[in-house]
Amino acid sequence: MAKRDWLVEQAEYLLSGVDKGLPARAAGLTVREFLASGPRLAEFWTPVIALEDSAVRHNISVMADWCSAKGFSLAPHGKTTMAPALWQRQLDAGAWGITLATVGQIRTARDFGFESLLLANSATDPRGLRYLAEQLHDPGFRFSCWADSIATIEAMEQALAGATLARPIDICVELGAPGGRSGARSIGEARAVAERLHGSSVLRLAGVSGYEGALAHDRSEASLRAVRDYLSSMLELHVSLQDLYDDGEVILTAGGSAFFDLVAEVFDPVRQAVPRTRYVLRAGAYVTHDDGFYRGISPLDRSRDAALAAENSLRPAMRAYSRIVSHPEPSLALLDAGKRDLPYDEGLPEPLSIARDLGAEPTPLNGSSISAMNDQHGFLRTPGGVPLDPGSVVTLGISHPCTTFDKWRLIPMIASDADDLVVDLVRTYF
């Protein structure tokens, strides 16, 4: 099957009134034609979110350099953005592959020609498994997924019965933790899964996987200890499976966007001597970082570590812009952005500044907060003394980019914080 050219498809996408936030004049133009007209963010309707090109480039470079220095391959979690344009930037900067969360997302990536993919999940849908079997006839396709039980392996084998496989599907044994998410609950259980894989004719034991981010949501001593203990168990399992591994490459993979420093500390690939192991980090939110959850927990944020040089730290690369539609009380204004537009699962947006209009000189909104969000309203609370005129535009920092991208089909990307020239419209494929 011919692969779609995402670059051409994005450039030739025909804009219309269903693409929220775009200026009216964009309707009927292709993305290429619209960008050639030199659009400014100031033309866009609110609510709207925007990416900052210079910050995105910076973040991708910082993470690529960090992984290289620590001895890790990077397979950023593409489900964060579901944006092939951003995946390609990450690959161009040296990423080893792209991680995804569902077989449907894998199909999207394959449809656009991406070749090195990691499914951070089990694949148990028979139709999806047969699709993967077909894809493995492409010698350039590199793929692995997870399994955490013998029952999962048997379900996969049953689904693949009768399928013509060019090669077995690579499977990483997923180790979990009591009270956590998926994953075998002990090293003994995980070992049993590996032994069952070792005897499979359609599946290959390809390493050990896990997700430490499910165990902690802060950097308290108790949380850090829990993460380290879990990662140590993953490493112990990996070392113990050497008698079951074949002579091909295997991977040891962990690392969300919050504790990848601990993954590097425990796995320490620079000094580990487990043969033929590729150490893979899967952080994804770093591409945009944020002003909320990840700002407070990422090891590469200067607000957490003042000693971190600016050139080595991540920057927020996404902002939201919302207009005041009501000012019913002295310290309360209602915005035109709500849950349909902005994330709210890991903290509410943070008011940063207010201006007469998009592109006008902003005034900081110190001491302000978003206290609640409805479907299409945000409740802006201020300490008083700040003009909250209806029609004014509030700039918001977001918390948790992973549940922002899915709310927007096209996202304007501006050149920089100081230049609102729209240099791209990033298309998402959720």
Side-chain angles (χ1 to χ4, degrees):
M1 182 182 70
K3 303 299 182 183
R4 293 157 63 186
D5 188 327
W6 63 264
L7 190 60
V8 171
E9 181 168 312
Q10 179 164 295
E12 298 306 317
Y13 177 80
L14 188 65
L15 303 173
S16 73
V18 304
D19 298 306
K20 65 180 184 179
L22 291 180
R25 71 176 184 84
L29 300 178
T30 65
V31 169
R32 176 180 51 80
E33 291 167 338
F34 177 63
L35 294 176
S37 72
R40 296 279 174 177
L41 189 64
E43 299 180 60
F44 281 62
W45 296 13
T46 60
V48 67
I49 64 169
L51 297 168
E52 183 187 338
D53 183 51
S54 60
V56 168
R57 292 179 186 276
H58 169 84
N59 290 346
I60 289 174
S61 176
V62 165
M63 194 63 181
D65 291 347
W66 190 93
C67 286
S68 178
K70 300 292 184 180
F72 278 90
S73 295
L74 178 62
H77 215 320
K79 60 90 178 170
T80 296
T81 65
M82 285 304 294
L86 298 181
W87 298 347
Q88 191 61 56
R89 287 193 184 204
Q90 292 167 306
L91 292 170
D92 291 344
W96 171 73
I98 298 296
T99 299
L100 294 161
T102 70
V103 178
Q105 292 175 359
I106 294 288
R107 184 170 64 179
T108 297
R110 286 296 290 159
D111 221 33
F112 285 113
F114 291 90
E115 294 194 323
S116 182
L117 302 175
L118 175 64
L119 176 62
N121 210 338
S122 297
T124 57
D125 181 275
R127 296 160 188 82
L129 281 164
R130 287 194 287 273
Y131 166 81
L132 292 171
E134 294 169 2
Q135 293 298 301
L136 288 170
H137 286 279
D138 178 355
F141 181 37
R142 182 170 57 195
F143 173 80
S144 60
C145 62
W146 300 0
D148 65 358
S149 71
I150 292 173
T152 296
I153 294 169
E154 291 176 345
M156 295 180 74
E157 288 177 330
Q158 182 178 356
L160 291 168
T164 303
L165 280 166
R167 49 197 156 104
I169 297 177
D170 281 358
I171 306 293
C172 292
V173 177
E174 181 187 3
L175 183 66
R181 204 162 67 181
S182 54
R185 284 337 199 211
S186 69
I187 290 178
E189 290 179 19
R191 170 80 190 191
V193 176
E195 290 173 347
R196 179 64 177 78
L197 274 170
H198 184 68
S200 177
S201 61
V202 294
L203 307 174
R204 171 183 176 259
L205 175 60
V208 170
S209 61
Y211 176 54
E212 76 290 344
L215 302 178
H217 277 66
D218 59 47
R219 283 193 167 256
S220 66
E221 285 303 316
S223 291
L224 297 180
R225 183 167 56 252
V227 170
R228 284 191 178 96
D229 288 348
Y230 169 70
L231 294 169
S232 296
S233 295
M234 283 188 65
L235 181 59
E236 180 183 347
L237 173 63
H238 177 56
V239 172
S240 76
L241 296 183
Q242 291 185 79
D243 63 312
L244 298 178
Y245 290 145
D246 60 22
D247 58 1
E249 181 180 83
V250 293
I251 67 175
L252 177 60
T253 175
S257 298
F259 301 109
F260 52 83
D261 57 329
L262 301 187
V263 178
E265 172 193 315
V266 174
F267 289 179
D268 195 9
V270 174
R271 287 190 285 273
Q272 282 290 342
V274 181
R276 301 181 307 281
T277 298
R278 181 182 293 275
Y279 297 83
V280 180
L281 284 177
R282 305 189 309 275
Y286 75 89
V287 68
T288 59
H289 199 46
D290 70 11
D291 287 288
F293 178 71
Y294 288 114
R295 181 184 62 189
I297 203 169
S298 170
L300 293 182
D301 191 285
R302 295 185 77 197
S303 67
R304 273 198 57 259
D305 183 2
L308 194 63
E311 62 268 23
N312 297 325
S313 62
L314 300 175
R315 305 172 187 167
M318 178 183 283
R319 294 282 190 260
Y321 303 89
S322 182
R323 207 171 288 273
I324 294 176
V325 294
S326 175
H327 182 23
E329 299 173 13
S331 60
L332 172 65
L334 279 301
L335 306 179
D336 63 0
K339 293 179 179 180
R340 302 291 189 191
D341 313 297
L342 306 176
Y344 55 91
D345 59 315
E346 289 283 5
L348 296 176
E350 178 181 329
L352 301 175
S353 62
I354 188 169
R356 178 180 51 80
D357 202 349
L358 275 170
E361 187 68 26
T363 299
L365 276 175
N366 299 323
S368 300
S369 65
I370 300 296
S371 62
M373 289 169 64
N374 298 151
D375 288 353
Q376 301 292 173
H377 290 89
F379 290 67
L380 172 65
R381 304 283 180 177
T382 68
V386 179
L388 300 175
D389 301 326
S392 296
V393 173
V394 175
T395 300
L396 300 161
I398 61 97
S399 180
H400 199 210
C402 302
T403 50
T404 308
F405 281 91
D406 60 299
K407 297 173 173 58
W408 298 84
R409 180 164 56 187
L410 288 174
I411 303 174
M413 177 178 280
I414 59 175
S416 69
D417 185 50
D419 182 357
D420 77 339
L421 176 68
V422 177
V423 297
D424 202 356
L425 293 177
V426 176
R427 188 173 176 189
T428 65
Y429 291 83
F430 285 93

